[in-house]
Amino acid sequence: MLQLRALYPFGFKVMRHQTTLSGCLLNLLLLLISPTVIAQAQTSTTPAPGIDFSYAGYGGGGTALPTVPTILTVKPTGSDDTRLLQAALNHLATLPAGKNGMRGALLLAPGRFLVQGQLHVQGSGIVLRGSKDNSTTLVATGQSRRTLLEVGSPQVATGEASIQVTDKFVPAGSRHLTLAHTNDLKVGDKITVTRPSTREWISALGMDTLKGTFADLRFHWTPGSRNLIWDRTITAINQNQVTLDAPITTALEQRYGGGTITKLTQHLPLQQIGIEHLVIESEFNKANPKDEEHAWYGILLDNVEDAWVQQVTTRHLVSSAVRVGPRARRVTVENCRNERPVSEEGGYRRQSFLVEGQQVLVQNCTADSGLNDFAIGFTAAGPNVFRNCTATNALGASGSYESWASGVLYDNVKIEGAALRLTYDANRAQAGGWTAANAIIWNCTATDIAAKGPADAPNQVVQAKGSLFQQQLQQRLGPETNLPGTSPAAPAPVREFTLKDLPASPPVATPATAPLQLINGRFVIGNKTLWGGAVNDAWWLGQTSPASALDAGISITRFVPGKTGAGLTENLPELAAKVTAQGTPFYQSGPAIWYDRRRDDHSITERPDANVWAAFYELPWARSGTGRAWDGLSRYDLTQYNPWYFERTRAFAALADQEGFVLYHHLYNNHNLLETASHWIDFPWRPENNINETGMQVPPLEPKDRIHVANQFYDADNPQLRALHRQYIFHVLDQLGEFNNIIFGLSFQYSGPASFQKFFQQTVAEWEKQHNRQVRLVLDTSKDVTDAILSAPELARQVAVIDMRYWHYLPDGSLWAPAGGRNLAFREMHPKEFGDPTTPEMVYKQVREYRAQYPNKAIVAWHAGAGAVPTLMAGGAQVLMRNPTAGHGQGRSIDRTPLDVFVQEQLATRLMHLHPTNGLLQNETQNWALADNQQETVLLYSLSGEVIELAQKLKNKHYTGTWFDPETGNTITAQLPKLLKKGTAVVKPDVKPWLLLLRK
């Protein structure tokens, strides 16, 4: 008998079959540990009643896989076959479907098909088949991290208004739901059943009580983040009760929000798709045994129903041979093998067969050298089954690893060299907490088996005869039922699809907007001035739950393996379109402070393993594949660069050109070098984390685990560091210097010495000379460093943008301007991150001073509590209204003020021609003016008083006027005097601050 271990929260251990505690004492201890949750760990010889797992697999279980006749065949060309293969698949999708829903199979001839891109099967009734004896190989070429073959609809099914489930309690395993009504429902309708993850349920599980640094951001489940969604079909309706074609796997309880159903009407899943008899390989860098810049996944199935993968072997992938996504249903994966993975031995890698979907059967599959070979994923809705599968040379435990995979059966699974776990886990990926529910480990072997679930959804280990899946299948379909094989195929005419059949290539896209210009110190694209808010990249925190991912903000270089969407691995075209559509024309990007989210705890300890947590914040430098950094993965090589990081940044820079917004890109993150040592501990340039000779000395820890290494890092006199910095700066410019709308900065929050800012700019100038191209730079540092650079003509010439966020005048007129080069962060030099709040008059003064000295440079200022109007009226190009040092970035909130809307709608075509104008108004400490040279457009601002009085006559006789309230966004048509001459007083709507826009 196996020794069964249950690992309870807070480190308590129970050894079944070895403990001498009585049952009563054991239960008492469990109650003391967690009064609201009793963990379950059972070994029995009979299965618990409840879920019927036999509904897993193609056709809902018990249905033979079809053998589909070949219609088309394709031969490899010897070069990139991506377009040929995709065109053949697309053509097959246009053919009529037979009575069984099948269109036919595309047969790939023996040989090696080179795939530089990605293949998509986006039509129902299609089979992609290799030749016999697995003599067909698809080779994922190049460095792109991708899934080689994606199967299913690109869109998620959506539906009509939800209907409430009225049952007080629906047990796990039930197929019957009572609804508030069954209007417009009929047998055969496809629906979703949703079980909400309410605050009450989360609290009952104790998943909002874990302690630790930033525990609420790192550990706690948030309402809505772990909803279970089952795709089902209605098989019967009896008054207000519906019967489903497969069971649910977690109880619906009114005390925890019950459940709802939604009839699906749009983007229904594709059906009847098969992948057969293929070898899938990925190219990789043979010089790097842990290379990850190549294909991560072989096959992804999602938004598909009744699909199968059989007789597929994959090699050299980073993560999974087959990944079944959350909205894939009734899928069989059988007789497949994953071998010879090439990757780091860390979290989210080497998950050979990963199931996140429902009614999925993985059987007779093998995997070698994996970390979680038979993995059940985040809120996998089930029922799902791994049956007769074997992992050899396993490097890590198989099983559940995130949160609440519901209704999974491991049936006769063997893990050689590692464990099998369905547990409560606060240490593995994402600190998932309760990772599995209502699950069974049946007749399995492993070095260790752990099963634990909450009291209302227990997990069990069972040693009994035979296969539970087969027993349940025979009980449901009859004692003569055998496990399905395949059905015979009828012959069909076959034709070869060749290069001659390819459709014409699509036209090359061209940028939709004109390049960025600086006109009179304003950002201009086309004939419009850019004005508005900014989006700041997040540079720590992240989630893998799609529902809560945006809570941690947006980042163009944050990577969640296998998950694309807002707050995950961003869909860059969608993000770029959103940036423009929401009126936030500035985007700030740059490196994060650490790769592994475990470091969000701000500890400084070396990690005991490489079980890194996603989301991963990719950094500009590449891993070497050798040694061990403090996050458990291999050390960095500072002379090699992360292709994925720069591929993503290049793509977004191109989108900035196309969509018409400004991309600030900073080369370093100053946060890595100052304050708490946790900022530094995983930094690639820390000597312990790279294989290079940097000449840096390992600094001792200061009291309270502080660290200050900025001046050592920014030492251009260190020849080793100087060479590394120069090479890196050149690489960034090589990758990004061709784009028009990008502005480069050394590092926002840069508080280092002027000497390194000078070195940075001189290196940029060297690159510019070599490439005969100029790039734009932003000065984003202390006032003394800024003034030193601007006083040197050759250095000043390079500067396009002066960012003054790190100094300003205080209300008494004194200057808050912490010096650079002090080896301190700005917020260490003042208790408030940007100094004390100040007055509109002082912000106006600050911006006007630099505008007067540098009229052709864009001036950027922090609002300092005074709002955006002073910067606008003083001639500034951008005002910062959000804290740009907040590492979470902006996810759900939009940096948009009423003034932004007013300027974009009323002034965009004229603002670049308006200058701060003196002498036009009386009492110029409280009244400011912007005007073009001919005074055809005039913008006036009055801070106080009942009137705005002219100090001189306007140049034109007739104007129309619009009052604008910056606080509310309200506009009022102005009643103007007939003549706007010297001494004329224009009466304001009230004594509050108002803008008055005058047009000739």
Side-chain angles (χ1 to χ4, degrees):
M1 179 67 70
L2 289 171
Q3 292 181 351
L4 175 65
R5 182 177 67 185
L7 300 181
Y8 287 82
F10 318 113
F12 182 71
K13 299 181 180 180
V14 177
M15 301 296 294
R16 298 286 292 188
H17 313 298
Q18 289 188 336
T19 180
T20 58
L21 292 173
S22 70
C24 292
L25 180 55
L26 175 59
N27 287 335
L28 177 60
L29 285 172
L30 295 179
L31 287 169
L32 290 172
I33 292 166
S34 180
T36 59
V37 179
I38 302 176
Q40 302 287 327
Q42 301 181 26
T43 299
S44 65
T45 57
T46 57
I51 297 169
D52 186 343
F53 294 98
S54 73
Y55 287 91
Y58 174 84
T63 302
L65 300 181
T67 301
V68 179
T70 296
I71 301 296
L72 291 180
T73 185
V74 175
K75 295 178 181 177
T77 65
S79 58
D80 182 18
D81 292 306
T82 306
R83 190 160 170 251
L84 176 64
L85 291 172
Q86 190 61 60
L89 289 166
N90 294 346
H91 176 74
L92 197 57
T94 66
L95 300 180
K99 292 181 179 179
N100 62 354
M102 302 305 305
R103 290 184 165 89
L106 172 64
L107 176 66
L108 305 187
R112 294 172 69 82
F113 290 82
L114 307 181
V115 183
Q116 179 72 32
Q118 189 178 54
L119 300 176
H120 302 269
V121 182
Q122 295 181 348
S124 294
I126 292 175
V127 172
L128 177 62
R129 177 182 297 141
S131 295
K132 63 180 180 179
D133 300 323
N134 282 19
S135 57
T136 301
T137 301
L138 295 178
V139 183
T141 62
Q143 291 186 313
S144 175
R145 300 181 189 179
R146 66 196 187 276
T147 300
L148 183 65
L149 178 59
E150 291 193 349
V151 176
S153 172
Q155 296 175 294
V156 177
T158 58
E160 301 168 353
S162 298
I163 304 172
Q164 191 70 38
V165 175
T166 59
D167 299 285
K168 185 176 182 180
F169 178 82
V170 182
S174 176
R175 294 171 48 224
H176 305 288
L177 305 175
T178 306
L179 307 179
H181 63 83
T182 55
N183 302 345
D184 300 323
L185 295 178
K186 64 182 183 300
V187 171
D189 281 345
K190 294 187 180 301
I191 64 169
T192 58
V193 181
T194 300
R195 182 193 187 280
S197 48
T198 62
R199 188 178 303 279
E200 292 77 13
W201 177 67
I202 291 168
S203 293
L205 291 173
M207 293 315 303
D208 55 0
T209 60
L210 289 178
K211 307 299 182 184
T213 306
F214 297 107
D216 57 330
L217 301 175
R218 295 167 53 228
F219 297 134
H220 294 176
W221 295 5
T222 56
S225 65
R226 279 140 176 100
N227 293 357
L228 285 181
I229 299 176
W230 295 278
D231 284 282
R232 296 292 186 260
T233 300
I234 295 176
T235 59
I237 300 176
N238 182 8
Q239 296 183 341
N240 282 355
Q241 187 181 76
V242 296
T243 301
L244 311 178
D245 65 338
I248 64 172
T249 57
T250 293
L252 306 182
E253 302 177 73
Q254 288 298 331
R255 60 176 177 160
Y256 297 141
T260 57
I261 75 159
T262 302
K263 179 180 176 180
L264 299 176
T265 56
Q266 296 184 16
H267 313 304
L268 295 181
L270 300 183
Q271 296 183 320
Q272 301 282 8
I273 300 176
I275 310 296
E276 303 175 346
H277 303 287
L278 288 171
V279 175
I280 292 176
E281 290 184 0
S282 177
E283 286 186 345
F284 63 95
N285 179 5
K286 292 181 172 58
N288 182 349
K290 296 181 179 179
D291 178 35
E292 297 187 341
E293 301 309 321
H294 56 102
W296 275 58
Y297 300 96
I299 300 168
L300 167 67
L301 304 102
D302 206 3
N303 305 317
V304 66
E305 179 177 286
D306 289 329
W308 68 95
V309 180
Q310 64 170 333
Q311 297 289 348
V312 172
T313 297
T314 60
R315 301 185 184 114
H316 309 146
L317 299 173
V318 173
S319 191
S320 302
V322 181
R323 178 180 185 138
V324 185
R327 299 301 294 275
R329 177 189 182 221
R330 306 204 322 183
V331 174
T332 292
V333 180
E334 66 179 13
N335 299 315
C336 295
R337 177 170 175 79
N338 186 49
E339 61 187 24
R340 289 179 263 168
V342 177
S343 73
E344 299 275 352
E345 295 176 8
Y348 292 83
R349 284 85 168 163
R350 305 187 184 217
Q351 297 172 323
S352 298
F353 297 92
L354 171 57
V355 174
E356 298 169 306
Q358 42 201 306
Q359 293 179 263
V360 180
L361 171 63
V362 180
Q363 66 178 357
N364 303 324
C365 292
T366 60
D368 188 69
S369 301
L371 282 161
N372 189 350
D373 284 308
F374 304 108
I376 191 73
F378 184 79
T379 61
N384 295 308
V385 177
F386 293 93
R387 179 177 177 273
N388 293 346
C389 293
T390 301
T392 58
N393 301 307
L395 304 175
S398 284
S400 52
Y401 70 104
E402 288 190 322
S403 297
W404 207 262
S406 183
V408 60
L409 167 66
Y410 285 80
D411 188 337
N412 192 29
V413 172
K414 182 185 295 184
I415 311 297
E416 297 179 0
L420 178 58
R421 297 180 179 279
L422 300 171
T423 65
Y424 181 100
D425 199 331
N427 296 310
R428 206 173 180 185
Q430 302 308 108
W434 294 111
T435 64
N438 297 320
I440 297 177
I441 297 175
W442 178 279
N443 284 352
C444 296
T445 59
T447 59
D448 181 59
I449 293 179
K452 180 177 55 181
D456 293 335
N459 301 325
Q460 299 183 71
V461 175
V462 179
Q463 296 292 331
K465 293 181 179 180
S467 161
L468 176 59
F469 177 76
Q470 185 171 9
Q471 290 175 22
Q472 290 184 326
L473 194 66
Q474 291 175 340
Q475 289 169 2
R476 180 164 65 90
L477 299 179
E480 301 303 319
T481 301
N482 293 314
L483 292 176
T486 56
S487 58
V494 179
R495 80 173 182 89
E496 184 179 352
F497 193 91
T498 69
L499 292 172
K500 295 179 181 178
D501 297 307
L502 287 177
S505 298
V508 178
T510 56
T513 59
L516 174 69
Q517 301 178 75
L518 286 180
I519 300 177
N520 295 322
R522 307 280 192 185
F523 297 110
V524 178
I525 291 181
N527 66 340
K528 291 187 176 181
T529 309
L530 300 185
W531 180 270
V535 179
N536 300 306
D537 255 349
W539 36 267
W540 73 299
L541 287 174
Q543 297 289 339
T544 58
S545 163
S548 58
L550 264 180
D551 295 340
I554 292 164
S555 172
I556 62 174
T557 52
R558 186 171 55 200
F559 179 49
V560 181
K563 294 186 179 181
T564 299
L568 302 165
T569 306
E570 294 291 338
N571 181 309
L572 295 183
E574 290 182 4
L575 175 59
K578 177 181 176 182
V579 167
T580 304
Q582 69 188 17
T584 51
F586 303 101
Y587 194 102
Q588 178 169 263
S589 72
I593 53 175
W594 46 63
Y595 171 86
D596 176 12
R597 274 207 58 238
R598 289 180 298 180
R599 195 61 70 189
D600 292 353
D601 65 2
H602 283 66
S603 70
I604 60 171
T605 58
E606 185 177 9
R607 296 301 177 191
D609 55 44
N611 249 328
V612 288
W613 293 4
F616 301 126
Y617 281 90
E618 295 289 338
L619 298 170
W621 305 279
R623 302 272 183 174
S624 67
T626 62
R628 189 178 187 279
W630 270 47
D631 60 10
L633 301 179
S634 67
R635 291 190 174 202
Y636 291 90
D637 183 347
L638 301 178
T639 66
Q640 301 297 316
Y641 305 104
N642 183 338
W644 192 86
Y645 179 93
F646 285 102
E647 172 192 328
R648 297 279 292 179
T649 310
R650 277 181 59 84
F652 202 65
L655 288 164
D657 283 4
Q658 180 178 318
E659 295 284 345
F661 60 89
V662 172
L663 174 63
Y664 289 102
H665 182 73
H666 298 275
L667 277 72
Y668 303 95
N669 189 333
N670 208 53
H671 220 61
N672 283 124
L673 309 168
L674 300 166
E675 302 180 317
T676 173
S678 60
H679 297 162
W680 162 254
I681 211 74
D682 284 343
F683 184 43
W685 291 64
R686 179 175 173 242
E688 290 87 343
N689 293 325
N690 63 68
I691 63 171
N692 311 92
E693 292 295 332
T694 64
M696 292 189 72
Q697 302 299 312
V698 180
L701 276 180
E702 301 167 18
K704 298 183 179 180
D705 292 338
R706 311 297 276 183
I707 200 85
H708 292 87
V709 295
N711 284 354
Q712 187 182 167
F713 178 77
Y714 295 127
D715 181 7
D717 292 329
N718 176 333
Q720 293 158 310
L721 275 178
R722 184 183 184 93
L724 290 169
H725 283 305
R726 179 184 177 279
Q727 181 178 328
Y728 171 58
I729 294 167
F730 261 62
H731 184 78
V732 172
L733 296 175
D734 287 343
Q735 292 291 308
L736 304 174
E738 68 185 87
F739 299 104
N740 295 309
N741 292 5
I742 191 168
I743 298 171
F744 297 95
L746 194 165
S747 171
F748 87 99
Q749 302 190 67
Y750 178 65
S751 57
S755 58
F756 194 83
Q757 179 70 42
K758 180 179 178 181
F759 161 76
F760 168 67
Q761 292 190 216
Q762 289 172 335
T763 305
V764 172
E766 183 185 352
W767 182 90
E768 290 176 324
K769 184 176 180 180
Q770 288 187 16
H771 293 79
N772 193 29
R773 178 176 175 84
Q774 290 189 341
V775 298
R776 295 186 175 97
L777 301 183
V778 56
L779 269 177
D780 188 358
T781 181
S782 59
K783 186 177 189 302
D784 60 340
V785 172
T786 298
D787 290 343
I789 296 299
L790 294 175
S791 66
E794 283 304 305
L795 298 176
R797 177 192 59 78
Q798 296 176 281
V799 175
V801 182
I802 304 169
D803 187 331
M804 306 190 300
R805 74 182 75 182
Y806 296 121
W807 75 89
H808 64 246
Y809 288 106
L810 299 177
D812 63 2
S814 61
L815 187 66
W816 178 76
R822 291 177 57 193
N823 215 23
L824 294 170
F826 286 107
R827 67 184 183 185
E828 290 182 292
M829 295 184 255
H830 195 282
K832 296 183 180 178
E833 293 184 55
F834 296 95
D836 293 309
T838 191
T839 65
E841 294 90 336
M842 291 296 104
V843 174
Y844 183 81
K845 173 185 176 182
Q846 178 186 3
V847 176
R848 278 297 302 269
E849 287 176 348
Y850 276 80
R851 164 83 183 198
Q853 293 182 73
Y854 310 104
N856 295 318
K857 298 187 188 301
I859 309 297
V860 177
W862 171 244
H863 71 87
V869 175
T871 297
L872 172 72
M873 297 303 296
Q878 183 187 357
V879 58
L880 303 174
M881 298 298 296
R882 298 289 182 95
N883 181 353
T885 67
H888 309 173
Q890 296 151 264
R892 303 189 187 279
S893 62
I894 299 174
D895 182 13
R896 191 161 170 82
T897 68
L899 178 66
D900 298 338
V901 179
F902 177 76
V903 172
Q904 291 166 3
E905 293 179 352
Q906 303 287 339
L907 281 168
T909 61
R910 298 297 303 161
L911 186 58
M912 74 286 275
H913 304 300
L914 305 187
H915 307 273
T917 302
N918 290 334
L920 188 61
L921 301 176
Q922 298 288 356
N923 187 17
E924 289 190 316
T925 61
Q926 295 294 296
N927 298 289
W928 308 324
L930 281 174
D932 58 46
N933 292 335
Q934 300 304 314
Q935 295 184 357
E936 293 180 349
T937 302
V938 180
L939 184 66
L940 307 179
Y941 182 60
S942 174
L943 274 168
S944 61
E946 297 178 350
V947 298
I948 300 176
E949 185 176 348
L950 296 177
Q952 60 179 250
K953 177 184 176 182
L954 297 185
K955 292 183 178 181
N956 299 283
K957 290 185 178 181
H958 302 291
Y959 289 89
T960 60
T962 302
W963 291 106
F964 175 74
D965 182 346
E967 183 178 348
T968 65
N970 294 333
T971 58
I972 302 172
T973 300
Q975 302 299 318
L976 300 175
K978 290 184 178 181
L979 296 176
L980 293 174
K981 59 184 180 179
K982 181 178 180 179
T984 300
V986 182
V987 179
K988 294 166 57 180
D990 55 44
V991 297
K992 295 189 309 182
W994 284 88
L995 280 164
L996 175 59
L997 175 59
L998 301 175
R999 294 189 180 94
K1000 177 184 174 183

